[in-house]
Amino acid sequence: MPASPQSDSPMSDSPLSGPALLDRIDALAAISAEEGQLSRLYLTPEHRRANDLVAAWMREAGMSVREDAVGNIVGRYEGDRPGLPALLIGSHLDTVRDAGRYDGMLGVLSGIVVVAGLNRRGRRLPFAVEVIGFGDEEGTRFQSTLIGSRAIAGTFDPAVLETRDAAGTRLADAMTAFGLDPAAWASAAYRPEDVLAYAELHIEQGPVLEALGRPVGVVTAIAGATRLAVTVEGMAGHAGTVPMTLRRDALAAAAEMILAVEQLCSGQERLVGTVGRIEASPGATNVIPGKVRFTIDLRADRDGLRLERVGAVRARLEAIADARGVAIGFETLHESPAVACHPALMAQFAAAAAAEGLDAPELPSGAGHDAMAVAALTDIAMLFVRCERGVSHNPAERITAADAEAGVRVLARFVESFQPVTSIP
């Protein structure tokens, strides 16, 4: 359990304790398209209601509020003089279908709590603070992730405006229906000189902090990822008439390949490999499978290690195919590099945790976050908060009020003690 916060914490007199913060998250999680579960997708009526509620909390915390050209909700707390560059704090307000309630939302509301503490004490910093609730990180509706954070970073691809959801609605049309001008998407981008850094508080979505008995951890990097589709082609045949020695069973070959992926990705620190989907055809009980397609998701926080393992996996799978007399093909579905957190900002998060009496271990993020897109704009840092059993993207997602409070206290310390990596003009 977390140590008792120090009495001089910036949040020591906060009316938003851990339980109160979780109450706000519950109120936000009640905004859903589905009865009895949390599903809140980009540019839907639920997104509008969430933005409106978060905007009200931002104003209550002393911020001016705007909605940008892609539907991000942004609250600004001015520094000791107007117009100063800003420290950005953010996460996302959209969800996967049947989601947990802390992924994304905890980071946005924690930022609001920190600013509320500054405002209550009448404290202005030598920089502005902006809290951003990104409209789309998950990509659930339009299958194009990180729309909100890519837009502010200036890396939004306007071709995405032509993508359609499952109902056939174009993204551009959904923006119009939401009250936005799709032609104005470029206005969401920040100028680099107006931003000092980006900080994101997020649940870990993994079991490491719980195993270590620590409420918070400092993120070192967001893992790079390679996703492959593998096709194995053998020869379909009658299950009763083809001798075992004469078979070219695509599924048996794929099974050996899947075990090879597990073997090649084991024993390597901060490397993981997953086969998450497999399809066999013709898919009949009495027919030897002639064709199999499966996916590989390989991630590491060091690109050199990831790419070396991708090469090793491909070579091993090709050798298995050759030995079994089947054909193999690879398709790259996704390729993204690792994104490192800035060491100076990591050190500031660690110091903030220590000032709160907490030992914050360093750990990588195997999941993607808005921070990886914002890294194209500015230096990034992330703080993880422990979650029960590491369960996420699931209604069973859980954190304790004590851990939520520990996270927001560390974030408050970080903000109030923040030292830009580059000097403020």
Side-chain angles (χ1 to χ4, degrees), residues 257-289:
M257 293 174 185
I258 291 167
L259 290 175
V261 172
E262 181 184 50
Q263 181 186 47
L264 288 167
C265 294
S266 298
Q268 294 278 351
E269 186 179 4
R270 298 181 174 180
L271 169 77
V272 292
T274 304
V275 173
R277 183 175 181 182
I278 184 168
E279 301 169 347
S281 62
T285 303
N286 60 347
V287 180
I288 300 164

Coordinates of all heavy atoms in Angstrom, one line a residue, residues 257-289:
M257 N 4.8 -23.2 -35.4 CA 5.3 -21.8 -35.6 C 4.9 -21.0 -34.4 O 5.6 -20.1 -33.9 CB 4.7 -21.3 -36.9 CG 5.2 -21.9 -38.1 SD 4.3 -21.3 -39.6 CE 5.1 -22.3 -40.9
I258 N 3.7 -21.2 -33.9 CA 3.2 -20.4 -32.8 C 4.0 -20.6 -31.5 O 4.4 -19.7 -30.8 CB 1.7 -20.6 -32.5 CG1 0.9 -20.1 -33.7 CG2 1.2 -20.0 -31.2 CD1 -0.6 -20.5 -33.7
L259 N 4.4 -21.9 -31.3 CA 5.2 -22.2 -30.2 C 6.6 -21.6 -30.4 O 7.3 -21.2 -29.4 CB 5.3 -23.7 -30.0 CG 4.1 -24.4 -29.5 CD1 4.3 -26.0 -29.5 CD2 3.7 -24.0 -28.1
A260 N 7.1 -21.5 -31.6 CA 8.4 -20.9 -31.9 C 8.4 -19.4 -31.6 O 9.3 -18.9 -31.1 CB 8.7 -21.1 -33.4
V261 N 7.2 -18.8 -31.9 CA 7.1 -17.3 -31.5 C 7.2 -17.2 -30.0 O 8.0 -16.3 -29.5 CB 5.8 -16.8 -32.0 CG1 5.5 -15.4 -31.5 CG2 5.7 -16.8 -33.5
E262 N 6.5 -18.0 -29.3 CA 6.6 -18.0 -27.8 C 8.0 -18.2 -27.3 O 8.6 -17.5 -26.5 CB 5.7 -19.0 -27.2 CG 5.7 -19.0 -25.7 CD 4.9 -20.1 -25.1 OE1 5.0 -21.3 -25.5 OE2 4.0 -19.8 -24.2
Q263 N 8.7 -19.2 -27.9 CA 10.1 -19.5 -27.5 C 11.0 -18.3 -27.8 O 11.9 -17.9 -27.0 CB 10.6 -20.7 -28.2 CG 12.0 -21.2 -27.9 CD 12.5 -22.3 -28.7 OE1 12.3 -22.3 -29.9 NE2 13.0 -23.3 -28.0
L264 N 10.9 -17.8 -29.0 CA 11.9 -16.7 -29.4 C 11.6 -15.4 -28.7 O 12.5 -14.5 -28.6 CB 11.7 -16.5 -30.9 CG 12.3 -17.6 -31.8 CD1 11.9 -17.4 -33.2 CD2 13.8 -17.6 -31.7
C265 N 10.4 -15.2 -28.1 CA 10.1 -14.0 -27.4 C 10.2 -14.2 -25.9 O 9.9 -13.2 -25.1 CB 8.8 -13.5 -27.8 SG 8.7 -12.9 -29.5
S266 N 10.6 -15.3 -25.4 CA 10.8 -15.6 -24.0 C 12.2 -15.4 -23.6 O 13.1 -15.5 -24.4 CB 10.4 -17.0 -23.6 OG 9.0 -17.2 -23.9
G267 N 12.4 -15.0 -22.3 CA 13.8 -14.8 -21.8 C 14.4 -13.5 -22.2 O 15.6 -13.3 -21.9
Q268 N 13.7 -12.7 -22.9 CA 14.2 -11.4 -23.3 C 13.5 -10.3 -22.5 O 12.3 -10.1 -22.6 CB 14.0 -11.1 -24.8 CG 14.8 -12.1 -25.7 CD 16.2 -11.6 -25.9 OE1 16.6 -10.5 -25.5 NE2 17.0 -12.5 -26.5
E269 N 14.2 -9.6 -21.7 CA 13.6 -8.5 -20.8 C 13.0 -7.5 -21.7 O 13.6 -7.0 -22.7 CB 14.7 -7.9 -19.9 CG 14.1 -7.0 -18.9 CD 15.1 -6.4 -18.0 OE1 16.3 -6.7 -18.1 OE2 14.7 -5.6 -17.1
R270 N 11.8 -7.1 -21.4 CA 11.1 -6.0 -22.1 C 10.8 -6.3 -23.6 O 10.7 -5.4 -24.4 CB 11.8 -4.7 -22.0 CG 12.0 -4.2 -20.5 CD 12.7 -2.9 -20.4 NE 12.7 -2.4 -19.0 CZ 13.2 -1.3 -18.6 NH1 13.9 -0.5 -19.4 NH2 13.2 -1.0 -17.3
L271 N 10.6 -7.6 -23.9 CA 10.2 -8.0 -25.2 C 9.0 -9.0 -25.0 O 9.1 -9.9 -24.1 CB 11.3 -8.7 -25.9 CG 10.9 -9.5 -27.2 CD1 10.8 -8.5 -28.3 CD2 12.0 -10.5 -27.6
V272 N 8.0 -8.8 -25.8 CA 6.8 -9.7 -25.7 C 6.4 -10.0 -27.1 O 6.4 -9.2 -28.0 CB 5.6 -9.1 -24.9 CG1 6.0 -9.0 -23.4 CG2 5.2 -7.7 -25.4
G273 N 5.9 -11.2 -27.3 CA 5.3 -11.6 -28.6 C 4.1 -12.4 -28.4 O 4.0 -13.3 -27.5
T274 N 3.0 -12.1 -29.2 CA 1.7 -12.7 -29.0 C 1.1 -13.1 -30.3 O 1.1 -12.3 -31.3 CB 0.8 -11.6 -28.3 OG1 1.3 -11.2 -27.1 CG2 -0.6 -12.2 -28.1
V275 N 0.6 -14.3 -30.4 CA -0.3 -14.7 -31.5 C -1.7 -14.6 -31.0 O -2.1 -15.3 -30.1 CB 0.0 -16.1 -31.9 CG1 -1.0 -16.6 -33.0 CG2 1.4 -16.2 -32.5
G276 N -2.4 -13.6 -31.5 CA -3.7 -13.3 -30.9 C -4.9 -13.8 -31.7 O -6.0 -13.8 -31.2
R277 N -4.7 -14.2 -33.0 CA -5.8 -14.6 -33.8 C -5.3 -15.7 -34.8 O -4.2 -15.6 -35.3 CB -6.3 -13.4 -34.6 CG -7.5 -13.7 -35.4 CD -8.1 -12.5 -36.1 NE -9.3 -12.8 -36.9 CZ -9.9 -11.8 -37.6 NH1 -9.5 -10.6 -37.6 NH2 -11.0 -12.2 -38.3
I278 N -6.1 -16.7 -35.0 CA -5.8 -17.8 -35.9 C -7.1 -18.2 -36.6 O -8.2 -18.3 -36.0 CB -5.1 -18.9 -35.2 CG1 -4.7 -20.0 -36.2 CG2 -6.0 -19.5 -34.1 CD1 -3.7 -21.0 -35.6
E279 N -7.0 -18.5 -37.9 CA -8.1 -18.9 -38.7 C -7.6 -20.1 -39.6 O -6.6 -20.0 -40.2 CB -8.6 -17.8 -39.6 CG -9.1 -16.6 -38.9 CD -9.4 -15.4 -39.8 OE1 -9.0 -15.5 -41.0 OE2 -10.0 -14.5 -39.4
A280 N -8.3 -21.2 -39.5 CA -8.0 -22.4 -40.3 C -9.1 -22.7 -41.3 O -10.3 -22.5 -41.0 CB -7.7 -23.6 -39.5
S281 N -8.7 -23.1 -42.5 CA -9.7 -23.4 -43.5 C -9.3 -24.7 -44.2 O -8.1 -25.0 -44.3 CB -9.9 -22.3 -44.6 OG -8.7 -22.1 -45.3
P282 N -10.3 -25.5 -44.7 CA -11.7 -25.2 -44.8 C -12.4 -25.2 -43.4 O -13.6 -24.9 -43.4 CB -12.2 -26.2 -45.7 CG -11.3 -27.4 -45.5 CD -10.0 -26.8 -45.3
G283 N -11.9 -25.6 -42.4 CA -12.5 -25.6 -41.1 C -13.6 -26.6 -40.8 O -14.6 -26.4 -40.1
A284 N -13.3 -27.8 -41.4 CA -14.2 -29.0 -41.2 C -13.6 -30.0 -40.3 O -12.3 -30.2 -40.4 CB -14.6 -29.6 -42.5
T285 N -14.3 -30.7 -39.5 CA -13.8 -31.7 -38.6 C -13.0 -32.8 -39.3 O -12.0 -33.3 -38.8 CB -14.9 -32.3 -37.7 OG1 -15.6 -31.2 -37.0 CG2 -14.4 -33.3 -36.7
N286 N -13.5 -33.2 -40.4 CA -12.9 -34.3 -41.1 C -12.1 -34.0 -42.3 O -11.9 -34.8 -43.2 CB -14.1 -35.3 -41.6 CG -15.0 -34.6 -42.5 OD1 -15.0 -33.4 -42.7 ND2 -15.9 -35.5 -43.1
V287 N -11.5 -32.7 -42.3 CA -10.7 -32.3 -43.4 C -9.4 -31.8 -42.8 O -9.4 -31.0 -41.9 CB -11.4 -31.2 -44.2 CG1 -10.4 -30.7 -45.4 CG2 -12.7 -31.7 -44.8
I288 N -8.3 -32.2 -43.4 CA -6.9 -31.7 -43.0 C -6.9 -30.2 -43.4 O -7.2 -29.9 -44.6 CB -5.8 -32.5 -43.7 CG1 -5.9 -34.0 -43.4 CG2 -4.5 -31.9 -43.4 CD1 -5.1 -34.9 -44.3
P289 N -6.5 -29.3 -42.5 CA -6.5 -27.9 -42.9 C -5.5 -27.6 -44.0 O -4.3 -28.0 -43.9 CB -6.1 -27.2 -41.5 CG -6.5 -28.2 -40.5 CD -6.3 -29.6 -41.1

